[in-house]
Amino acid sequence: MSGPSAPTSSAGAKGGPALLGALERRAPWVAAIIVLVAAIATMTSDPIGVFNDDGIYLLTAKALAEGHGYVYPHLPGTPPAIHYPPVWPMLLAIVWKIAPAFPASVGWFKLINPFVIAAAAAAGVRFGQRQFGLPWWVALGAVVASMLTVPVLLLTNLLLSEPLFLLLLLPTLLVTERVVREGGVGRALAAAALVALLVLVRTLGGVVLVAGVLLLMRERRWRELIVFAVVSVVLLLPWQRFVWAASPTFPDELRGSYGPYLEWVVEGYKAGGFAFFREVLAANVAATWAMLGIFMSPLVDGPVRNLSAALATLVFVAGLLVLARRDRAPVTALAFSGYLVAVLSWPFWVDRFYWVMWPIVLLVALAGTTTIVAALRARGRTRAAGALLALVTLLAIGHETYNARGLGRGWEQSASREMTGAGIRLVRQVNDDRSLDGQLIAAELAPMLALYTGLQVLPVEILTTREHVQDKTQAERVAELERIDRRFRPSAYLVMQAGPFYSALRATRLDSARSLVDLSPPGNPVRTLRIQHP
């Protein structure tokens, strides 16, 4: 009996290392498949546009696909689309052309981001191995753990550009790191092209351009610096000229939601000064702190969450400091630092800015942890190394507990679910009222209504920087509605009775030739206020 059993035992002994070797080679594919399955499994059937930005992306894609140019087709005069860079809408425009007619194509559009985030997962594993020096199993585990999370899957559920930004950010950082470390004009050219593409997906990608320029100057790689900076600027110049040309005549009432980012922020800081900056910084730091505490200690409130947020911050900062060394990943460390500075000073909801970077956040933290643990062990400080590992393990347990609870309760679908009911009611109200056909209306969830009704639809508020730190008063909402009415003269307003705009509309005082009358049936949660003339 022993004769036959010996080869079986030998094969089993050899099979283990062979299996691990095969898994190591296929780790990026493993990550991609796991993330793709999870992203598709958590897809929602919610309509596009409930998150506002996703609706605007698809409306501009529709305009491109139908040959109208890069414009807002749902706004009066179809002004140029100068708020969002054009690469993501261009991708959506391709799908618009080949997919069934909207809204039958909603499922096609919703499949884009699951495949994009799966590709980002594969790129993340390679990035963690090659750039951060992580063992393959650590990189694989970190990427899967960071992407099978409530925030990342929430973004993937929506038709937003964040997943594509993450997918492009990883190779952009990798190539830019090589240019800084090894030089080469060809590499500088490739890095410039990638940076420009990244910025044309999300403007904050410019932090990689700034980091690359500064570090190439430090390394005195002058040829590479010139190629990298000049080519990046040349590739971005057509988009910037498009924005600059359209900005002077763009309606002031629409700038917050549809105009250029930078001008909007600069005007806010001009009006508010340093006091406003302090308020924005305080609000964004508080939001960041709360988010970290919830992510890392979901079952315990109070001081434990503050402690978890503090420890998570220390671990991440340690990772950035480790990676800032010349021989590690200085571009990533500097670009991420610049990204944080921009986010913390931006007068807008900060969570989305962090969510898109969450996989890199975890990779940075683990890169710092593994490096510090190895250094401590090399110096014989095994207890300190063990304590650090225990700390990171506790944070990881908190992180996974939060996501297990969240995914089990469908939190990744919450952002769209909360607004879907109101959006569907508004759309049905407009489509059932044939008297609104061909009319300009103003409404809540304007992009969604425009997509599903085909009408031109204005927003019923003016987005301001100030409202990030202080809620608008009733008087301010009334003044905004009166400005919108004077400028655009819509035929009707559609809002939810339970929302903040209905009471403001009832208090508006339009000019003498126009008055608002609510003719909606009693008990209807959607109120249609029509313009009547004396």
Side-chain angles (χ1 to χ4, degrees), residues 226-299:
I226 292 171
V227 170
F228 179 71
V230 171
V231 172
S232 296
V233 170
V234 168
L235 292 175
L236 291 171
L237 192 57
W239 164 244
Q240 290 302 321
R241 292 190 64 181
F242 176 76
V243 173
W244 293 333
S247 181
T249 58
F250 200 84
D252 289 338
E253 294 81 3
L254 301 175
R255 281 189 180 274
S257 297
Y258 296 98
Y261 289 102
L262 189 57
E263 290 182 13
W264 179 72
V265 173
V266 169
E267 288 302 316
Y269 276 120
K270 280 183 179 178
F274 187 68
F276 177 58
F277 172 75
R278 288 200 310 268
E279 290 179 279
V280 170
L281 185 62
N284 289 347
V285 168
T288 304
W289 196 260
M291 182 192 74
L292 287 173
I294 292 171
F295 280 7
M296 297 303 175
S297 59
L299 298 178

Side-chain angles (χ1 to χ4, degrees), residues 480-493:
E480 288 181 356
L481 285 164
E482 291 173 352
R483 282 183 62 192
I484 290 170
D485 194 81
R486 282 195 302 270
R487 178 64 179 261
F488 299 106
R489 320 289 280 189
S491 300
Y493 292 83

